[in-house]
């Protein structure tokens, strides 16, 4: 699935002593190709998460159009949009997320249950959890997990519906070197199988897994090299 950004920007209102509007993401044209790993690097506060959230369909842009396989994503009605996102876009958010009243296995299966095929996906969920080295924590409540374990759980959850688009915001930020390699090679494999993969990263090691690298600087995205 091809994802295309046409003139997308995002304006925020900064609510402080001196309130003012500013563009967290300036007008951007960008394409996320199929079968490739694209990475975005850049300093803290430069607009990477804001941009990733727009591409994930979680945050509406102030202007511009997001085309997914030619469909104007933000013009879809709310329900269609979340259905489409749930089915086709695997999102690893920057913050820690997990439903604490659910076990690790149930958390991973949650996106699948939205379609009612959660039961059939149980073996896939367990396989993903094994790949993330979390199998023995399947039945533990997610509020008992460490930061890195939660991160790995959210990676398994992002992959449960075999998404054609994967958007991961600093997915290895709190992981050790070996686990980082494990996660990045899994994303690499998904891209080789045809997925469009976007990784926001600070990690130097991550760069060797990328087919193309962009840098975000004060809301301006430009291609590296
Ligand atoms: N909801 C919001 N309202 C107002 N300002 C916001 C909001 N979200 C983000 N910002 C501001 O937009 C800018 C970009 O934030 P963003 O989270 O996109 O940065 P980032 O590049 O992901 O940073 P980091 O590497 O620290 O995660 C920051 O200055 C931030 O304070
Ligand atoms: Mg961020």
């Amino acid at each position: 699935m091809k994802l295309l950004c046409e003139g997308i920007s995002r304006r925020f209102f900064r609510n402080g002593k001196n309130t003012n509007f500013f563009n967290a993401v300036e007008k951007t044209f960008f394409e996320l190709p199929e079968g490739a790993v694209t990475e975005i690097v850049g300093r803290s506060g430069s607009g990477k998460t804001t941009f990733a959230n727009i591409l994930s369909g979680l945050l509406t842009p102030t202007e511009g159009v997001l085309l997914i396989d030619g469909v104007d994503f933000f013009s879809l009605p709310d329900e269609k949009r979340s259905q489409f996102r749930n089915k086709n876009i695997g999102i690893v958010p920057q913050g820690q997320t997990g439903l604490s009243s659910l076990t690790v296995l149930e958390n991973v299966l949650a996106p699948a249950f939205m379609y009612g095929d959660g039961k059939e996906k149980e073996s896939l969920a367990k396989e993903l959890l094994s790949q993330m080295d979390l199998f023995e924590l399947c039945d533990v409540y997610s509020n008992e997990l460490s930061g890195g374990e939660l991160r790995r759980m959210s990676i398994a959850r992002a992959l449960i519906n075999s998404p054609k688009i994967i958007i991961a915001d600093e997915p290895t930020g709190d992981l050790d070197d070996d686990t980082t390699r494990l996660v990045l090679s899994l994303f690499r494999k998904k891209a080789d199988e045809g997925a469009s993969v976007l990784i926001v990263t600070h990690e130097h090691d991550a760069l060797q897994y990328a087919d193309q690298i962009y840098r975000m600087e004060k809301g301006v995205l430009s291609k590296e090299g």
Side-chain angles (χ1 to χ4, degrees), residues 48-49 94 169-170 200:
K48 304 180 299 298
T49 294
Q94 180 170 22
D169 194 350
E170 302 201 27
V200 173

Side-chain angles (χ1 to χ4, degrees), residues 96-115:
Q96 298 288 3
T97 54
L99 297 164
S100 55
S101 58
L102 300 182
T103 65
V104 169
L105 182 64
E106 288 164 350
N107 264 283
V108 171
L109 280 170
F113 270 109
M114 278 185 71
Y115 281 95

Side-chain angles (χ1 to χ4, degrees), residues 3-194:
L3 201 149
L4 207 62
C5 256
E6 295 199 323
I8 279 200
S9 70
R10 175 67 206 208
R11 206 165 157 76
F12 280 130
F13 183 65
R14 210 189 287 275
N15 215 348
K17 266 194 177 150
N18 300 307
T19 54
N20 61 320
F21 285 100
F22 75 102
N23 277 349
V25 174
E26 302 287 354
K27 198 168 182 169
T28 303
F29 295 82
F30 169 81
E31 181 182 335
L32 184 68
E34 294 171 328
V37 174
T38 300
E39 291 183 355
I40 297 183
V41 299
R43 296 184 59 178
S44 176
S46 59
K48 304 180 299 298
T49 294
T50 305
F51 187 60
N53 286 345
I54 293 171
L55 296 185
S56 313
L58 296 169
L59 179 73
T60 51
T62 305
E63 56 172 350
V65 177
L66 175 67
L67 294 171
I68 304 183
D69 269 359
V71 175
D72 179 352
F73 183 78
F74 286 106
S75 74
L76 295 174
D78 248 15
E79 181 157 346
K80 271 235 161 71
R81 222 158 70 191
S82 36
Q83 264 180 19
F84 184 93
R85 186 172 49 230
N86 187 265
K87 188 161 173 223
N88 297 301
I89 312 180
I91 302 169
V92 182
Q94 180 170 22
Q96 298 288 3
T97 54
L99 297 164
S100 55
S101 58
L102 300 182
T103 65
V104 169
L105 182 64
E106 288 164 350
N107 264 283
V108 171
L109 280 170
F113 270 109
M114 278 185 71
Y115 281 95
D117 66 347
K119 266 274 159 252
E120 291 125 65
K121 294 250 173 88
E122 202 166 310
S123 60
L124 174 62
K126 287 182 173 161
E127 189 188 319
L128 288 166
L129 283 167
S130 304
Q131 281 175 349
M132 289 295 107
D133 201 14
L134 274 182
F135 187 74
E136 64 271 36
L137 295 180
C138 266
D139 296 323
V140 162
Y141 286 104
S142 66
N143 59 353
E144 291 166 28
L145 299 187
S146 74
E149 287 165 348
L150 267 177
R151 173 77 52 219
R152 286 181 276 144
M153 181 185 86
S154 72
I155 292 165
R157 186 184 50 207
L159 300 177
I160 190 69
N161 285 336
S162 309
K164 299 191 180 74
I165 297 170
I166 297 169
I167 297 178
D169 194 350
E170 302 201 27
T172 61
D174 33 26
L175 300 181
D176 58 75
D177 291 352
D178 287 345
T179 320
T180 294
R181 276 191 288 275
L182 189 84
V183 168
L184 293 171
S185 43
L186 182 59
F187 286 149
R188 178 71 257 171
K189 185 164 162 266
K190 296 291 167 194
D192 294 341
E193 289 166 3

